Amino acid sequence: MAMRKIINDPELVEDQTIAGILKAFPDYLKRIDGSTRALIRADAPVAGKVGIATGGGSGHLPLFLGYVGKGLATGACVGNVFSSPSSDDMLDVTKAIDGGAGVLYLYGNYSGDTMNFDMASEMAEVEGITVKTTLGRDDVTSAPIAEINRRRGVAGIVFGFKIAGAAAEEGRDLDAVHSVAEKAIFNTRSMGVALSGTTIPAAGIPGFSVAEGQMELGMGIHGEPGVEVSPLLTADEIAGKMLDRILPDLPFSSGDTAAVLVNSLGATAPEELYILFNKAEEILRDRGIKIHRTLVGEYATSMEMAGASISICKLVDDDMVKLLDAPAYSPLLTQHFGR
Amino acid sequence: MAMRKIINDPELVEDQTIAGILKAFPDYLKRIDGSTRALIRADAPVAGKVGIATGGGSGHLPLFLGYVGKGLATGACVGNVFSSPSSDDMLDVTKAIDGGAGVLYLYGNYSGDTMNFDMASEMAEVEGITVKTTLGRDDVTSAPIAEINRRRGVAGIVFGFKIAGAAAEEGRDLDAVHSVAEKAIFNTRSMGVALSGTTIPAAGIPGFSVAEGQMELGMGIHGEPGVEVSPLLTADEIAGKMLDRILPDLPFSSGDTAAVLVNSLGATAPEELYILFNKAEEILRDRGIKIHRTLVGEYATSMEMAGASISICKLVDDDMVKLLDAPAYSPLLTQHFGR
Amino acid sequence: MTDEVLGIFKAISDEVVPQAEILRDLDAKIGDGDLGITITRGMEAVMSVSRDLQGTPASNQLARSGMAFNRAAASTFGVLFATAMMRGGAVVKDREDVGAADIAAIGRAALQGLMDRGKAKIGDKTLLDALSPAIEAFDEAHTSGKSLKEATDAAVDACQAGTTATIEMQSRVSRAGWLGERSIGVQDPGATAVLFMLQAAQSWVNANT
Amino acid sequence: MTDEVLGIFKAISDEVVPQAEILRDLDAKIGDGDLGITITRGMEAVMSVSRDLQGTPASNQLARSGMAFNRAAASTFGVLFATAMMRGGAVVKDREDVGAADIAAIGRAALQGLMDRGKAKIGDKTLLDALSPAIEAFDEAHTSGKSLKEATDAAVDACQAGTTATIEMQSRVSRAGWLGERSIGVQDPGATAVLFMLQAAQSWVNANT
Ligand SMILES: Nc1ncnc2c1ncn2[C@@H]1O[C@H](COP(=O)(O)OP(=O)(O)O)[C@@H](O)[C@H]1O
Ligand SMILES: Nc1ncnc2c1ncn2[C@@H]1O[C@H](COP(=O)(O)OP(=O)(O)O)[C@@H](O)[C@H]1O
Ligand SMILES: [Mg+2]
Ligand SMILES: [Mg+2]
Ligand SMILES: [Mg+2]
Ligand SMILES: [Mg+2]
């Protein structure tokens, strides 16, 4: 399959994407001198407030750069498509966003990322910046619950950005921000399905693929193996399969309050997400789980991959609800109109 | 090519999409009794304010239902995928949103839609509701400038919703709202490219297609013919071709201020949109056109179609700028976080 | 005339729906390919209101059937069909004694309705080019004393000629209009649908008079 | 030892980059298929800082080359490579007289660095399973009085055995870990990369001693 992408030189995809973002939203975002792969809030560093740094491979917009904003992350850097950013870029971001109150690293649990962020945090400590880390690890299909720390992070990290970002914005200290980030991540569970693969521009060939008429349940956002390959199921069946794994995992129980995120991996249209949510809502209602807030759209993608994921975050106390409901703004999530 | 869609019964796509939207955002949107194809603002009708009704085929989310919101449209109805809603549904919406100050119809120039909306407006007049109409007709490739009223409407209608919606929200009367809507539409020009086709669920076969490795310049959002089929061009070449047709058409000239919308038709990733914008911005800057505001993302799609469009709206006076910058909220455009 | 209108609709449903694929293909060539499904869903809706309309005046049967069609399959064709039925029906509003003598007047009012609604002219490559000559031929035959059957045959012949003539026309309106010269060479799908409908009416006349 | 480190990196670049496709394919089987491009881009970066490092201490050459690799090709392998070079280099910090006697100590420090960074254990099916036996074999040969060439040969043999042994292992960490049992049967790509690198070092030793 030929590449159906609007790009120039495949080697320039990452840099030109970032250049475009910066030109589109100069009031909200700025570069760090000398780094073509990092963005920070225009007002960073915010003195006395905890900075939140994130990052990961390119190709997942609005992840990661899109979560830099008021009430969200303070800075982010990205690597090549589907590859980790380097510890140098992470260190640059760390220094640029530290307002004296320390920095939280909040990103997905992939070994290239964790090792680079760990290395950056060691270098940051040398520079006198305190760093704490929370890893997105919400994909229930990637390891059994007993090995939860091996699980990979997918779209559920959005709840981490929102909740930790609101806590940092409020002026809570690093320990407190870290602790709500952990709480958000710990209480979030996700599962995805893939209906097609995607092509890494620099490679020019499909990074992974899903056979015509088939779908892969639990496939990761870089084509990591799922739990089951099946013929294409209906939306209702997919919602059922997802919630059958998600709900018992935490577990979510009758009487719980939750936030729900129905995420497109790229090519899957909003119409399909709402059809999926239509069933998910019914299942949750039947189980006595109250939905406090729903997000539907592209929150963490894999370029033009077809597929979707559902993430559910249990809101275990009033503080979580308050932080989730606090205002937030990123021009990549809500760039739409004036404010 | 088999269908790669997360749906249930193809005949239920439209109704289940709307059901999902209503369940996701009950605080913002409501149904009209008895109509499964229409949505209105939860607070409609707003007494004394002009209502704005829109509508068109399903399959274009966030168009049309997603533009119902504060500072935007007041109500919308949709037909089957890529087909007009019926005049009955339009009349229902009209009656439900009329707050006594009349209703503006604002939708795209397709004959099925225009004839049904015209019929609805005749019925509305019988019911004592004054209706005025503005047609989105921004696609520069669909007819020569001399026949501008034959042009079809594509993503540029977004500027119409934003500007007319702000005027209605301010409490301007129907003539005034109609006149700024006309001004917004008249000053907006768009052009799109398609890199793939799309499959209408009820048909199960591609509604139209673009050959592998080819692209169609100027193709419409339902596969309407473009001006040129070419091998896949680079992002910079595409931006150049688009602006070469858009800029002379109005024309846009040095010293003008404009708003820019870079829209994905569905499968095209945000990364690609920013790469496209990166070049468009350069071209506009070189021509001395100032960008007041940039929108990048999915604003008017064709399900899983790959492709993009650029729309440019000339801001001809301070009033247009003010209306464009006014706050607005729709849960499908900015459902992200609390407000 | 009591339920003749409903009988004709039944004939249209029986004869035209099986030809939906032809309409789909023509519309796919110079439109968006939905005319097949429009006819199918639209006539299905007409059939399903039919029972409730039995025994009501022809004007009501025409208008209600047209509205049902467009509610189920809103589209250019749908709203034009509805408009034609409503405007045609209005000519014989609430009358119980509608007969062959009214057909030309109903047809002319329908045609005027279509022109008001669609703002197209004869020669723009639309269904007007099929319907207009048919009505004229019917009227001429009828006023010169021909039987209903003869007048219907004349109408269908004229309709056939008008429909065929659309092949060489360049579309100037609506979706096909965006094709410009590329619309030449394909028979207009809407005109073809009208032809199929009149042919079905002709079958009904042959079977019932 | 003055610029021997740079010479060995040159040998690695010359010999391993042409084998990138093999690494890509192995990584595509149980990882994400980027190891080929990682090695290519990483070694390209190492080569391009090489000139500036000439004449500087071995510790600096190791650390700077490692950092250049990861900056250009950040990834699991990249950061592990950088860590190994920095931690290995630290053993001989700023010394001008680094020689064959230091190699085992550098290797052990590098290995410890990898284990600290990656938190994997021997037997988890990683590059540790290739590197660890190589260092032990080198150390044993060297302490028992073998020449540099002989010790290097011993290290490469042990590395080969360790790499082959990864085929039957089940991955317990990182990306391949998500495959569970499906990771069995494929030789670990990172271990293979380490083997190719040691083989390139062996070529350099053979050519230069
Ligand atoms: N303005 C018009 N006036 C009369 N008939 C029209 C007009 N525009 C289109 N038509 C007819 O409608 C037919 C297409 O109907 P339909 O498939 O429902 O259109 P669409 O899918 O574009 O809504 C055309 O073949 C033509 O005969
Ligand atoms: N925790 C770890 N410790 C040591 N080596 C590891 C670890 N995880 C992975 N590796 C090695 O890294 C190799 C994969 O490298 P790379 O392709 O860069 O990974 P990724 O693409 O997942 O970032 C594996 O084959 C394995 O040898
Ligand atoms: Mg990788
Ligand atoms: Mg249509
Ligand atoms: Mg059509
Ligand atoms: Mg890899």
Side-chain angles (χ1 to χ4, degrees):
Chain A
M1 196 172 90
M3 238 195 309
R4 282 198 159 147
K5 288 187 203 282
I6 301 178
I7 58 172
N8 295 304
D9 183 346
E11 303 282 335
L12 297 179
V13 162
E14 296 86 357
D15 287 357
Q16 292 187 335
T17 297
I18 298 182
I21 292 173
L22 279 161
K23 285 175 172 183
F25 312 116
D27 296 347
Y28 298 102
L29 298 169
K30 67 183 179 195
R31 249 189 222 293
I32 303 172
D33 282 344
S35 175
T36 60
R37 294 295 181 86
L39 284 185
I40 60 174
R41 273 168 57 171
D43 62 353
V46 187
K49 287 196 183 166
V50 170
I52 299 178
T54 190
S58 288
H60 299 299
L61 284 180
L63 257 190
F64 293 88
L65 302 171
Y67 291 89
V68 175
K70 205 165 140 51
L72 298 163
T74 326
C77 55
V78 289
N80 296 326
V81 170
F82 294 176
S83 296
S84 173
S86 78
S87 47
D88 303 76
D89 280 328
M90 291 165 182
L91 180 63
D92 288 346
V93 169
T94 311
K95 293 200 288 196
I97 67 172
D98 178 46
V103 172
L104 176 73
Y105 286 174
L106 177 53
Y107 60 94
N109 189 25
Y110 295 89
S111 60
D113 298 305
T114 53
M115 294 186 201
N116 273 287
F117 267 107
D118 283 351
M119 187 143 148
S121 87
E122 290 164 22
M123 298 188 282
E125 299 285 345
V126 173
E127 309 259 357
I129 303 173
T130 310
V131 171
K132 293 208 149 207
T133 295
T134 290
L135 294 177
R137 44 190 196 282
D138 48 310
D139 187 340
V140 293
T141 66
S142 53
I145 183 88
E147 295 172 59
I148 190 168
N149 289 333
R150 280 214 301 121
R151 286 183 176 173
R152 55 192 174 235
V154 291
I157 195 170
V158 168
F159 294 114
F161 292 136
K162 181 64 195 72
I163 286 172
E169 204 69 45
E170 261 191 11
R172 298 192 194 178
D173 69 17
L174 183 58
D175 282 337
V177 173
H178 177 247
S179 125
V180 294
E182 286 291 327
K183 201 198 287 185
I185 294 294
F186 177 77
N187 284 292
T188 300
R189 296 291 188 277
S190 303
M191 177 169 160
V193 296
L195 278 65
S196 82
T198 186
T199 300
I200 297 177
I205 48 169
F208 57 97
S209 52
V210 178
E212 197 70 43
Q214 301 280 305
M215 67 188 305
E216 188 144 355
L217 295 155
M219 179 178 254
I221 54 177
H222 316 98
E224 291 87 358
V227 287
E228 188 186 337
V229 176
S230 96
L232 191 51
L233 302 174
T234 67
D236 287 359
E237 289 165 342
I238 293 169
K241 291 233 177 208
M242 287 174 161
L243 293 185
D244 276 352
R245 283 191 78 112
I246 289 174
L247 297 182
D249 195 272
L250 185 55
F252 296 85
S253 320
S254 181
D256 284 348
T257 297
V260 178
L261 163 60
V262 183
N263 174 57
S264 167
L265 295 176
T268 292
E271 285 79 1
E272 301 166 63
L273 302 180
Y274 286 106
I275 293 173
L276 202 53
F277 176 68
N278 188 43
K279 183 66 182 182
E281 188 271 350
E282 185 189 311
I283 296 171
L284 291 172
R285 188 159 27 86
D286 284 352
R287 305 278 184 98
I289 298 162
K290 183 175 172 294
I291 302 179
H292 173 73
R293 179 175 292 278
T294 305
L295 309 178
V296 181
E298 293 189 358
Y299 286 83
T301 65
S302 294
M303 299 189 293
E304 79 288 5
M305 183 168 168
S309 64
I310 293 182
S311 302
I312 306 192
C313 174
K314 177 147 114 185
L315 301 170
V316 296
D317 56 35
D318 291 347
D319 190 47
M320 266 181 98
V321 174
K322 177 185 139 199
L323 293 170
L324 185 71
D325 287 349
Y329 182 70
S330 148
L332 273 84
L333 297 173
T334 55
Q335 79 267 40
H336 308 282
F337 305 120
R339 249 187 284 190
Chain B
M1 196 171 90
M3 239 196 310
R4 283 199 157 145
K5 288 188 204 282
I6 301 178
I7 59 172
N8 296 304
D9 182 347
E11 303 283 335
L12 296 178
V13 163
E14 298 84 358
D15 287 356
Q16 293 187 335
T17 297
I18 297 180
I21 292 173
L22 278 161
K23 285 176 172 183
F25 312 117
D27 296 347
Y28 298 102
L29 298 169
K30 67 183 180 196
R31 248 189 225 292
I32 303 173
D33 282 344
S35 175
T36 59
R37 296 296 181 85
L39 283 186
I40 60 173
R41 274 169 56 172
D43 61 353
V46 188
K49 287 195 182 169
V50 169
I52 300 178
T54 189
S58 288
H60 299 300
L61 283 180
L63 257 188
F64 292 86
L65 303 171
Y67 290 89
V68 175
K70 205 166 139 50
L72 298 163
T74 325
C77 56
V78 289
N80 296 328
V81 170
F82 294 176
S83 294
S84 174
S86 77
S87 47
D88 303 74
D89 280 328
M90 291 164 181
L91 179 64
D92 287 346
V93 170
T94 310
K95 293 199 286 195
I97 67 173
D98 178 46
V103 172
L104 177 73
Y105 286 174
L106 177 53
Y107 61 94
N109 188 25
Y110 294 90
S111 59
D113 299 305
T114 53
M115 294 186 200
N116 272 288
F117 268 107
D118 283 352
M119 186 143 149
S121 87
E122 290 165 22
M123 298 189 281
E125 300 284 346
V126 173
E127 308 261 355
I129 303 172
T130 311
V131 171
K132 293 208 147 205
T133 294
T134 290
L135 294 177
R137 45 189 195 280
D138 48 310
D139 186 340
V140 293
T141 66
S142 54
I145 184 87
E147 296 173 56
I148 190 167
N149 288 333
R150 277 215 302 122
R151 286 184 177 174
R152 54 191 174 236
V154 289
I157 195 170
V158 168
F159 294 115
F161 292 135
K162 181 64 194 72
I163 286 172
E169 204 68 46
E170 260 190 14
R172 298 190 193 178
D173 70 17
L174 182 58
D175 281 338
V177 173
H178 177 249
S179 125
V180 293
E182 286 291 328
K183 200 198 287 185
I185 295 293
F186 177 77
N187 285 291
T188 299
R189 296 291 189 276
S190 303
M191 175 169 161
V193 296
L195 278 65
S196 82
T198 188
T199 300
I200 297 177
I205 48 169
F208 58 96
S209 53
V210 178
E212 197 70 43
Q214 301 278 305
M215 68 189 303
E216 188 142 355
L217 295 156
M219 179 178 254
I221 54 177
H222 315 99
E224 291 87 357
V227 287
E228 188 186 334
V229 176
S230 96
L232 191 51
L233 302 174
T234 67
D236 287 0
E237 289 165 342
I238 293 169
K241 291 234 178 207
M242 286 174 161
L243 294 185
D244 276 353
R245 282 192 79 112
I246 289 175
L247 297 182
D249 195 89
L250 185 54
F252 296 85
S253 320
S254 181
D256 283 349
T257 297
V260 178
L261 163 60
V262 183
N263 173 57
S264 168
L265 295 177
T268 292
E271 286 78 1
E272 301 166 62
L273 302 180
Y274 286 106
I275 292 173
L276 203 54
F277 176 68
N278 189 43
K279 183 66 182 183
E281 187 272 351
E282 185 188 311
I283 296 171
L284 292 172
R285 188 158 28 87
D286 285 353
R287 305 278 182 98
I289 298 162
K290 184 174 169 296
I291 302 179
H292 174 72
R293 179 174 293 277
T294 305
L295 309 179
V296 181
E298 292 188 358
Y299 287 84
T301 66
S302 294
M303 299 188 293
E304 80 288 5
M305 181 168 170
S309 64
I310 294 182
S311 301
I312 306 191
C313 173
K314 178 146 113 184
L315 300 170
V316 297
D317 56 35
D318 291 346
D319 189 47
M320 266 181 98
V321 174
K322 178 185 137 199
L323 293 170
L324 185 70
D325 287 349
Y329 181 71
S330 148
L332 273 85
L333 297 173
T334 56
Q335 79 267 40
H336 308 282
F337 304 119
R339 247 187 285 188
Chain C
M1 192 138 75
T2 53
D3 286 346
E4 284 87 345
V5 167
L6 301 181
I8 293 170
F9 282 140
K10 175 82 170 50
I12 291 175
S13 176
D14 290 346
E15 286 192 26
V16 184
V17 172
Q19 300 183 85
E21 202 59 21
I22 300 173
L23 299 174
R24 197 209 84 88
D25 291 346
L26 289 173
D27 194 34
K29 288 206 178 90
I30 59 167
D32 59 355
D34 62 355
L35 191 57
I37 193 137
T38 295
I39 295 283
T40 306
R41 287 194 184 161
M43 288 313 301
E44 210 171 270
V46 170
M47 287 303 95
S48 75
V49 295
S50 187
R51 171 171 272 265
D52 288 348
L53 299 176
Q54 277 172 20
T56 68
S59 60
N60 186 57
Q61 292 176 343
L62 289 166
R64 296 279 158 200
S65 297
M67 288 162 70
F69 187 110
N70 189 47
R71 198 175 309 115
S75 58
T76 301
F77 191 89
V79 66
L80 288 172
F81 185 83
T83 303
M85 296 305 133
M86 288 161 75
R87 292 283 286 269
V91 170
V92 292
K93 190 156 173 41
D94 295 338
R95 275 175 42 202
E96 304 277 334
D97 60 336
V98 181
D102 298 300
I103 292 178
I106 292 174
R108 263 195 305 270
L111 186 71
Q112 186 59 48
L114 295 177
M115 297 177 75
D116 292 347
R117 176 68 63 225
K119 297 179 188 74
K121 299 184 301 295
I122 306 290
D124 282 353
K125 190 174 184 136
T126 69
L127 48 80
L128 300 178
D129 298 311
L131 189 61
S132 169
I135 293 166
E136 277 170 41
F138 185 96
D139 193 20
E140 200 186 295
H142 188 259
T143 23
S144 64
K146 299 273 172 60
S147 70
L148 173 62
K149 193 180 164 315
E150 286 165 328
T152 305
D153 291 346
V156 171
D157 289 348
C159 186
Q160 175 71 68
T163 301
T164 306
T166 64
I167 298 177
E168 293 309 317
M169 294 178 184
Q170 173 174 337
S171 171
R172 312 214 171 272
V173 292
S174 304
R175 214 176 270 283
W178 294 322
L179 279 165
E181 292 182 0
R182 283 173 286 170
S183 65
I184 297 171
V186 178
Q187 181 167 300
D188 181 63
T192 310
V194 167
L195 173 63
F196 290 172
M197 288 181 165
L198 292 194
Q199 286 169 337
Q202 181 181 35
S203 303
W204 184 90
V205 169
N206 288 339
N208 292 277
T209 54
Chain D
M1 194 140 72
T2 52
D3 286 346
E4 283 87 346
V5 167
L6 301 181
I8 293 169
F9 282 141
K10 175 83 170 52
I12 291 175
S13 175
D14 289 348
E15 285 191 26
V16 184
V17 171
Q19 300 183 84
E21 201 60 21
I22 299 173
L23 299 173
R24 197 208 85 87
D25 290 347
L26 289 173
D27 194 35
K29 288 205 178 91
I30 59 167
D32 59 354
D34 61 356
L35 192 57
I37 194 140
T38 295
I39 296 284
T40 306
R41 286 193 184 161
M43 289 313 301
E44 210 171 271
V46 169
M47 288 302 96
S48 77
V49 295
S50 186
R51 171 172 269 262
D52 288 349
L53 298 176
Q54 277 172 21
T56 67
S59 59
N60 187 57
Q61 292 176 344
L62 288 166
R64 296 280 159 198
S65 298
M67 288 161 71
F69 186 111
N70 189 47
R71 198 176 308 117
S75 58
T76 302
F77 191 89
V79 66
L80 288 173
F81 185 84
T83 303
M85 297 301 134
M86 289 163 74
R87 292 284 286 269
V91 169
V92 293
K93 188 152 172 50
D94 294 340
R95 276 172 43 199
E96 302 280 331
D97 60 336
V98 180
D102 297 302
I103 292 177
I106 291 173
R108 263 196 304 270
L111 186 70
Q112 187 58 50
L114 293 177
M115 296 177 75
D116 293 348
R117 176 68 63 225
K119 297 181 188 73
K121 298 184 303 295
I122 306 291
D124 282 354
K125 189 172 185 137
T126 70
L127 48 79
L128 299 178
D129 298 311
L131 189 60
S132 170
I135 293 166
E136 275 170 43
F138 186 95
D139 193 18
E140 198 185 297
H142 188 260
T143 20
S144 63
K146 299 275 171 61
S147 70
L148 172 62
K149 193 180 164 317
E150 286 165 330
T152 305
D153 290 348
V156 171
D157 287 350
C159 186
Q160 175 72 69
T163 302
T164 306
T166 63
I167 298 176
E168 292 309 317
M169 294 177 182
Q170 173 174 339
S171 171
R172 312 216 171 270
V173 294
S174 303
R175 214 176 271 283
W178 294 322
L179 279 167
E181 292 182 358
R182 281 173 287 170
S183 65
I184 297 172
V186 178
Q187 181 166 298
D188 180 64
T192 310
V194 167
L195 174 63
F196 289 173
M197 287 182 165
L198 291 194
Q199 286 170 336
Q202 182 182 35
S203 302
W204 183 89
V205 168
N206 288 339
N208 292 278
T209 53

